[in-house]
Amino acid sequence: MSLVSRNVPRLLFQALQSSSSRSIHNSIANNTADLAERPNARTTCTLIPGDGVGPELIYSVQEVFKAAGIPVDFESYFFSEVNPTLSAPLQVVAKSIERNRVCLKGILATPDYSHTGELQTLNMKLRNSLDLYANVVHVKSLPGIKCRHSNIDCIIIREQTEGEYSALEYEGVKGVVECLKIVTKTKSQRIAKFAFDYATKNNRKKVTAVHKANIMKLGDGLFLKSCEEMAKLYPKIEFEKMIVDNCTMQMVSHPHQFDVMVTPNLYGNIVDNLASGLVGGAGVVAGASYSANCVVFEPGARHTYSEAVGKNVANPTAMLLCSAKLLRHVNLPMYGEMIRNAVEKVLNDGKVKTKDVGGQSSTQEFTYAVIHNLQIPPQPPLPTY
Amino acid sequence: MAARIMRKSPFSLGQLLQRGQSTMSAFEIQHKTPLIRKSSPIPVALYGGRNAVSMLPGGGIGPELMNYVREVFKYAGAPVDFEVIDIDPKSDENAGLDYAITSIKRNGVAIKGNIETKSESAGVLSRNVAIRNELDLYVNILHCKSYLGVPARQKDIDIVIIRQNTEGEYAMLEHESVDGVVESMKIVTETNSVRVARFAFEWAKRNGRKKITTIHKANIMKLSDGLFLDTSKKIAAEYPEIEHNDMIIDNCCMQLVSKPHQFDVMIMTNLYGSIVSNVVCGLIGGAGLLSGRNYGDHYAVFEPGTRNTGTAISGKNIANPIAMLSASIEMLKHLGHFQHANLIQRAIEKTICEDKIHTPDLGGTAKSTDVIQRIIDHILQADIRP
């Protein structure tokens, strides 16, 4: 009986969207109102194109959004560290993200040295000002991209407001530089809880804490202890710990053993990039940074790909997958699925591939191929009484 | 008197975590030493503006009502992710219950139906009571407000019932020392009475209420109810702007059915709260309309106002979904999503008061799904949206 009652609302939902089987191309104008879970309600999203190929990728996303008729407005800011005179002020950008609660962001280039002696990069400043403490990178094998391993599906969660990125470096004695790595209990517990809650929400089975507590017994020890304590609150999720060097080896040889990984700042950065390399590189992995109130969606591996600027060769897959995640987050899951399916279909067909995954097509061709494949996702079958 | 002996022991986080694993012992600790305040400040699960909330559908009509809540939330775009936890009503084990309690501790907020406890063995606790005790949800609030257009005995009622939720007659301390003589203890503690009274007065102050009535039976239970009454009088002295009076429970019930408009905010011990809230619910249209809130120091649990399972009408598509929906609205308000809450609230008011789509318990003929469909239509048509 409860099964029946559980299905009744779904029936209503479907009745509202009865024209679901039609392709989006011949019915886009009439159909969008039915599709939107909140018609007339448009979501505003902050947009930071970033450096390098960022603007090209964002343009690709905007084209797809336009074609699908997605009710999202962008509030665009030029934000860059390598171009400080043109960049919008940090406060303005942070305020916009705080207001909109969602942001789609390209990658910001980071110069190797600072003119002003400032140790914090703009990226770090943005994260700290919004308290974007959790970085989530979803490493998932995509169909049609040939790699050493297939069917990888793991989530790497990284603390990104403390640790080695605290920007506390000084030369106390000439020739001796000290760089402080800060680990606090509050932030360790917070990221551990985030990881377990993320695992619970997404039906994941295992959380692996990555650490180096055998060498940094106090710093990483605290991180590990916090994870262990938090794990006791989640009896249904398996908890495992792994030393970072072993972890990287396991990642390249047996990546399927990993489900959700929780790491301190620098290890997370390394493992993110390593894992991205396993599934096809920086162009295909989506990520997001969470604070309590806002989310910034950005590609998972942070490379600007500045050598390809203006050549129309960058792969927009990562940015499109980010936008799909963004749509799911702002309660437009059907549009998100639409984009995701289209991207997967294009990759699977294998006719249109950008250079980085072994093809010859341009960014634009890929974008148009995605637009061409946009389809309303199939509905679950009708319940029977 | 035994209950007044205080046993203080400092709880470290480790012990607290361990206690989350074994409800039974923790439950006993709570009962045998009701003065221990339990606190484990685990931060609430709020990520990227979305809250994680534990959902305990419970038995009877619970699962269907929860599905309606999720459906309405989807259309209203409420930023809430539910973690659904089913507890097997027949099992004698408390594992499911333990997990539910741990989950509420992690998320900080829960919405629940009434959970059945089918086992009759003395060792198995009532799950509802166990959840309240383990999370130390010491106060229950029931805001009884008439809906226009709903056939009811009394119109324009706006009463807030604030009830002690963890002790009193619900202490579950019963024994048969001599054959044929059963003793049941009613525990009233000063600490808990102070907490409830303080909560009530603060709540009244913040919500602009004018008067608080303490309901008791201190003429018979001079010590226990006397303590409760004295405490509320003491606290009342600190709030001169709020009028305070007291009333004996039997008289109160009579006054409620004859002249209910004299009441504003009422505070009372556990069992009286149960009775009075059912009386008021009956006055304004039955169990299907109102929702209750349980607050502790760290956790909040939202549920339909009268704690009935509704097994008889489950699966028939005639249960009134409004009670659970208003519980979800109060949950949204608690989480700070006021716009979403108001959106759903207005849709419900339009459906019930203007369109008069009523389920059989309100004298209508509509199915539960008809009500939900109309509410969703109103949400989709609303001009002001989050």
Side-chain angles (χ1 to χ4, degrees), chain A residues 62-228:
Chain A
Q62 282 175 317
E63 287 283 281
V64 173
F65 272 40
K66 226 184 287 168
I70 296 175
V72 171
D73 298 319
F74 289 111
E75 205 174 289
S76 187
Y77 290 96
F78 181 77
F79 193 53
S80 166
E81 191 170 8
V82 288
N83 214 336
T85 44
L86 293 177
S87 170
L90 174 69
Q91 293 82 352
V92 174
V93 176
K95 209 164 190 189
S96 159
I97 297 176
E98 227 161 62
R99 190 175 56 241
N100 296 326
R101 297 191 158 196
V102 278
C103 171
L104 186 63
K105 171 175 167 293
I107 303 303
L108 304 184
T110 310
D112 285 341
Y113 70 95
S114 147
H115 292 286
T116 52
E118 178 85 69
L119 291 175
Q120 275 199 332
T121 67
L122 196 58
N123 245 328
M124 279 151 68
K125 281 186 203 157
L126 182 68
R127 277 179 227 155
N128 288 334
S129 65
L130 291 169
D131 196 26
L132 296 162
Y133 63 94
N135 181 250
V136 180
V137 175
H138 190 175
V139 180
K140 192 166 189 287
S141 296
L142 288 163
I145 297 181
K146 293 265 171 302
C147 301
R148 274 176 206 284
H149 299 283
S150 51
N151 296 324
I152 297 177
D153 185 5
C154 71
I155 288 165
I156 302 164
I157 293 172
R158 160 188 175 197
E159 209 299 323
Q160 58 174 4
T161 52
E162 57 171 16
E164 299 83 354
Y165 285 57
S166 307
L168 296 170
E169 291 181 291
Y170 60 91
E171 196 170 2
V173 178
K174 193 101 176 109
V176 182
V177 174
E178 290 184 10
C179 170
L180 300 186
K181 165 171 171 167
I182 309 293
V183 181
T184 60
K185 191 171 178 183
T186 326
K187 287 193 172 178
S188 301
Q189 278 178 342
R190 185 168 69 160
I191 194 72
K193 182 154 193 285
F194 180 92
F196 280 103
D197 278 340
Y198 195 92
T200 311
K201 187 183 148 193
N202 294 285
N203 291 321
R204 297 286 178 150
K205 298 279 166 281
K206 188 165 99 173
V207 172
T208 309
V210 180
H211 65 99
K212 189 73 185 169
N214 55 338
I215 305 297
M216 281 163 278
K217 292 190 199 299
L218 292 180
D220 280 18
L222 179 59
F223 174 79
L224 190 59
K225 216 178 101 208
S226 311
C227 291
E228 276 168 352

Side-chain angles (χ1 to χ4, degrees), chain A residues 333-351:
Chain A
M334 204 176 287
Y335 285 118
E337 212 176 313
M338 215 158 92
I339 293 183
R340 187 170 185 94
N341 290 346
V343 169
E344 281 185 359
K345 189 151 186 297
V346 171
L347 290 171
N348 207 9
D349 291 348
K351 288 187 189 131

Side-chain angles (χ1 to χ4, degrees), chain B residues 250-284:
Chain B
D250 35 6
N251 182 24
C252 164
C253 286
M254 183 172 68
Q255 296 291 332
L256 268 176
V257 291
S258 52
K259 284 183 275 177
H261 299 101
Q262 63 180 295
F263 296 105
D264 191 353
V265 178
M266 303 161 87
I267 57 176
M268 59 202 78
T269 55
N270 212 336
L271 182 63
Y272 307 152
S274 181
I275 295 167
V276 168
S277 44
N278 275 272
V279 168
V280 180
C281 279
L283 282 182
I284 69 169

Side-chain angles (χ1 to χ4, degrees), chain A residues 269-344:
Chain A
N269 189 6
I270 296 167
V271 176
D272 275 353
N273 276 265
L274 186 136
S276 304
L278 285 180
V279 296
V284 298
V285 181
S289 296
Y290 287 82
S291 74
N293 285 316
C294 4
V295 200
V296 173
F297 293 88
E298 56 190 331
R302 292 172 179 151
H303 299 281
T304 52
Y305 202 11
S306 50
E307 57 275 26
V309 173
K311 291 187 182 150
N312 200 15
V313 293
N315 190 350
T317 305
M319 204 59 101
L320 285 170
L321 293 180
C322 281
S323 71
K325 278 179 187 290
L326 182 147
L327 291 171
R328 208 178 75 167
H329 182 83
V330 298
N331 233 51
L332 298 166
M334 204 176 287
Y335 285 118
E337 212 176 313
M338 215 158 92
I339 293 183
R340 187 170 185 94
N341 290 346
V343 169
E344 281 185 359

